Amino acid sequence: MKVLVAVKRVVDYNVKVRVKADNTGVDLANVKMSMNPFCEIGVEEAIRLKEKGIATEVVAVSIGPATAQEQLRTALALGADRAILVETAEELSSLAVAKLLKAVVDQEQPQLVMLGKQAIDSDNNQTGQMLGALTGYAQGTFASKVEVSGDKVNVTREIDGGLQTVTLNLPAIVTTDLRLNEPRYASLPNIMKAKKKPLETITPDSLGVSTASTVKTLKVEAPATRSAGIKVADVAQLVEKLKNEAKVI
């Protein structure tokens, strides 16, 4: 069974992002970039399936600039067998990404496609569902447990009311949630081995996919700074301030 895992290059989650002075986007100059944490969970789950003898090949795919090779090499160091980079400098919408992934899926014909449920930069939570619609594959989103049995996969997913388990026919698409697993660290020998693993670079044009977006970012602003709180002496003073200053009662 071949597993295709999508990974995205994002600003490292430990970095405090800064908005550009002209409010056109986020300042990425000299900022540490990493693999999206949810995507890392997807890579880990695919590798675990291979270690169990269920998956025979794990292919990592990323869509972005040439520098995204760094995140693909990380996936290879973690245990992926080969990688594909769809190289583009454009800022793509979720739909454009899903269309490109669909083209890769058509070429690779994986039995299981894994994606992070969302990226920590755009927080859209759309690509997996859109890919499911475009491919017609069954989908299990927000997975906290994945079990493959024959030609089916059982996905335990986190919903508002608790947990829900769905059985999907393969091929299928699964988006990963935080509680699915804890990703491993890449060892130094595996990092060195990853440099020799195959990494193919292709373009959207070679896939025959138009990445023109119908969405335009008008302005990006940092969240408003919260003012410091105050302490009140007693309940009477609290009620007075809520009534006369905050005007909420």
Side-chain angles (χ1 to χ4, degrees), residues 203-243:
T203 64
D205 289 340
S206 69
L207 294 173
V209 176
S210 171
T211 57
S213 177
T214 56
V215 178
K216 182 180 180 181
T217 301
L218 301 179
K219 190 177 184 182
V220 177
E221 293 180 293
T225 304
R226 293 180 63 180
S227 57
I230 61 171
K231 290 184 178 180
V232 293
D234 50 35
V235 174
Q237 187 180 2
L238 172 62
V239 172
E240 187 273 330
K241 288 189 175 294
L242 290 174
K243 184 176 181 180

Side-chain angles (χ1 to χ4, degrees), residues 63-74:
I63 299 168
T67 47
Q69 290 187 31
E70 179 186 350
Q71 281 63 50
L72 287 174
R73 290 294 179 193
T74 299

Side-chain angles (χ1 to χ4, degrees), residues 91-107:
E91 186 175 339
L92 302 178
S93 66
S94 300
L95 181 57
V97 172
K99 287 180 178 178
L100 290 169
L101 287 177
K102 197 259 185 187
V104 174
V105 168
D106 289 344
Q107 284 190 359

Side-chain angles (χ1 to χ4, degrees), residues 4-175:
L4 183 73
V5 188
V7 301
K8 186 178 182 182
R9 176 181 172 88
V10 299
V11 176
D12 188 89
Y13 70 93
N14 289 310
V15 174
K16 184 177 181 180
V17 296
R18 301 185 305 274
V19 176
K20 292 180 180 178
D22 58 1
N23 294 112
T24 57
V26 173
D27 186 3
L28 300 180
N30 301 315
V31 172
K32 182 183 178 183
M33 306 293 285
S34 299
M35 187 190 302
N36 178 48
F38 289 99
C39 299
E40 198 170 2
I41 292 169
V43 173
E44 174 66 25
E45 192 64 22
I47 294 166
R48 291 188 184 187
L49 289 174
K50 185 181 178 184
E51 290 173 343
K52 292 175 183 176
I54 297 172
T56 54
E57 184 181 27
V58 176
V59 182
V61 58
S62 187
I63 299 168
T67 47
Q69 290 187 31
E70 179 186 350
Q71 281 63 50
L72 287 174
R73 290 294 179 193
T74 299
L76 293 172
L78 291 171
D81 298 293
R82 58 188 176 91
I84 301 169
L85 172 63
V86 183
E87 187 175 340
T88 175
E90 295 181 52
E91 186 175 339
L92 302 178
S93 66
S94 300
L95 181 57
V97 172
K99 287 180 178 178
L100 290 169
L101 287 177
K102 197 259 185 187
V104 174
V105 168
D106 289 344
Q107 284 190 359
E108 293 291 328
Q109 293 294 306
Q111 284 71 53
L112 184 62
V113 183
M114 304 197 80
L115 307 88
K117 72 167 186 176
Q118 65 195 76
I120 62 171
D121 53 0
S122 57
D123 262 347
N124 286 336
N125 182 15
Q126 295 174 330
T127 304
Q129 292 88 327
M130 289 177 171
L131 181 59
L134 292 172
T135 58
Y137 289 180
Q139 58 176 299
T141 55
F142 320 135
S144 61
K145 187 176 182 181
V146 175
E147 295 177 308
V148 178
S149 178
D151 61 349
K152 297 183 184 297
V153 55
N154 294 323
V155 178
T156 301
R157 52 192 305 269
E158 300 190 348
I159 59 175
D160 291 341
L163 299 176
Q164 177 190 57
T165 301
V166 294
T167 300
L168 313 175
N169 292 321
L170 295 175
I173 293 169
V174 174
T175 69

